[in-house]
Amino acid sequence: MLETRFTAEYGVEFPIVSAGMAFVSRARLAAAVSGAGGFGIVGAGAMPPHVLRAEIDAVRAVTDRPFGINLLPRFAAREHIEVCLERDVPVVTFFWDDPPADWVRALDAGGVRVWIQVGSPTEAEAAVALGAAAVIAQGTGAGGHNRSVAGTISIVPAVVDAIAPTPVLAAGGLADGRGLVAALALGADAAVFGTRFLASEEADAHPEYKRRVLAAGVGDTAHTWVFGFDWPDAQVRGLRNALVSAWEGRDWPPPYRDLDAAEQPTVGATEVFGQELPLVRFMGLPPTAVTSGDLEQMSLLAGESAGLIEDLPPAAALVARLAEEARSVINDRLRD
Ligand SMILES: Cc1cc2nc3c(=O)[nH]c(=O)nc-3n(C[C@H](O)[C@H](O)[C@H](O)COP(=O)(O)O)c2cc1C
């Protein structure tokens, strides 16, 4: 009943995709989602190529089902593409910057399907022109980096119309079976859930970060420029905390630009891919399981969907629940 063009084309059970989320959606989460019949994506973020290779192998050690790797072109190099080709990754997704055309051509020639996340119909048309096999339409309510021009309910049909018949996935504000059915009703072939899977056992987010997602209401996130220390044109949606509340409402250029070093203190410490890293105020890196410090001063990326999330299930149980809820929405709420 939940079969779509997406499930048929990618050979998965459900049109349920877990978003690529740098630092927090690692192999453990992606493998659990794919293993349960959804489609898991590893957020590679700033992962060096050898770590990326190990992550791909870690997914494959758990499941032989399809999964994806999310790359951010500004933090990636041709080597990352070579690793994905060498390891026969089914899908590579890109976001924010356009991937170089030769990366897309090489992936396509190697049988790796390319998806590009977009925030407007114009960006969607450019993605298709670049060779994307599918496009993720991200609405303004989505957690993480976000420069969408409209909410999910409007952007998804607008993108579907702009690039038909190219498959479209919907992202932003979706957290349960109602959101999944809504995404399909809007013309999407699958729904992408980010914050919902951030609040799962397998996500590598700090426990207090997860707790705050559970505690948040739908109005407790803000879209700001605050976290641009390491990503200057960053517009992100995340949970409001002391830092966000202090700087919310200010526009580009980001406020920290005028501050001296003393006003950009170290707010914590973390370990990234085996290396110790001090966390400086205004850095965009969200706190992971090994981060210590003051979460009131860190980037707690999350979508408006946080307001719909109240538990921390294992990801596989979440996939089954989303599918079950969607079936009952269709059976119980829609009548001839
Ligand atoms: C913690 C977090 C990190 C994210 N990191 C990335 C990323 O590295 N790459 C990417 O393409 N999108 C990233 N996103 C955005 C997601 O791909 C997706 O658009 C978003 O999560 C959908 O909205 P939702 O959180 O309401 O489900 C991130 C989102 C969150 C919540």
Side-chain angles (χ1 to χ4, degrees):
M1 182 193 288
L2 290 175
E3 282 164 29
T4 67
R5 285 194 301 176
F6 175 83
T7 58
E9 197 172 328
Y10 290 89
V12 298
E13 215 171 323
F14 308 118
I16 296 170
V17 177
S18 64
M21 296 180 281
F23 305 105
V24 298
S25 72
R26 304 284 302 261
R28 192 162 157 249
L29 176 59
V33 171
S34 288
F39 190 99
I41 301 181
V42 174
M47 236 175 232
H50 73 277
V51 177
L52 176 59
R53 186 179 290 109
E55 288 283 299
I56 294 168
D57 293 351
V59 175
R60 286 249 164 74
V62 175
T63 180
D64 56 5
R65 297 193 181 176
F67 64 97
I69 297 294
N70 170 251
L71 295 175
L72 302 166
R74 71 179 56 194
F75 299 116
R78 177 75 193 208
E79 252 184 296
H80 293 83
I81 305 300
E82 299 303 335
V83 168
C84 292
L85 284 165
E86 163 204 307
R87 287 297 202 261
D88 228 358
V89 166
V91 169
V92 168
T93 81
F94 293 105
F95 187 36
W96 208 258
D97 310 299
D98 283 344
D102 63 300
W103 293 8
V104 177
R105 272 197 303 274
L107 290 167
D108 193 46
V112 178
R113 275 177 277 200
V114 171
W115 302 352
I116 298 179
Q117 181 159 251
V118 304
S120 70
T122 312
E123 282 185 9
E125 284 162 356
V128 172
L130 203 53
V135 159
I136 302 174
Q138 186 194 46
T140 48
H145 285 77
N146 186 328
R147 59 171 176 229
S148 180
V149 298
T152 304
I153 203 159
S154 311
I155 196 121
V156 173
V159 167
V160 167
D161 290 347
I163 61 169
T166 306
V168 174
L169 291 77
L174 312 173
D176 54 27
R178 295 171 297 185
L180 171 52
V181 175
L184 302 181
L186 294 171
D189 299 282
V192 178
F193 299 86
T195 308
R196 179 56 275 195
F197 281 100
L198 174 72
S200 70
E201 272 180 19
E202 290 88 346
D204 202 29
H206 192 282
E208 170 62 12
Y209 178 15
K210 292 185 183 182
R211 193 198 63 74
R212 289 181 185 213
V213 168
L214 304 196
V218 284
D220 290 340
T221 67
H223 185 250
T224 73
W225 294 94
V226 175
F227 297 101
F229 182 89
D230 38 6
W231 186 334
D233 55 339
Q235 304 159 60
V236 303
R237 180 170 295 285
L239 297 179
R240 217 172 260 117
N241 58 8
L243 183 65
V244 168
S245 298
W247 294 98
E248 194 179 347
R250 312 222 193 166
D251 250 338
W252 181 267
Y256 59 85
R257 283 286 165 101
D258 298 328
L259 301 178
D260 59 33
E263 290 171 295
Q264 299 185 48
T266 300
V267 297
T270 195
E271 195 196 301
V272 181
F273 314 129
Q275 294 206 305
E276 301 283 325
L277 184 75
L279 280 177
V280 173
R281 189 188 278 167
F282 306 116
M283 266 188 179
L285 216 137
T288 65
V290 297
T291 301
S292 58
D294 183 5
L295 268 71
E296 286 297 324
Q297 299 293 325
M298 294 183 196
S299 173
L300 307 177
L301 301 175
E304 291 172 348
S305 50
L308 305 170
I309 298 169
E310 285 174 357
D311 59 358
L312 266 180
L318 192 46
V319 171
R321 189 210 294 174
L322 290 168
E324 191 44 46
E325 284 173 355
R327 282 195 201 98
S328 51
V329 169
I330 293 166
N331 289 334
D332 304 342
R333 295 191 55 84
L334 305 179
R335 304 245 159 83
D336 285 339

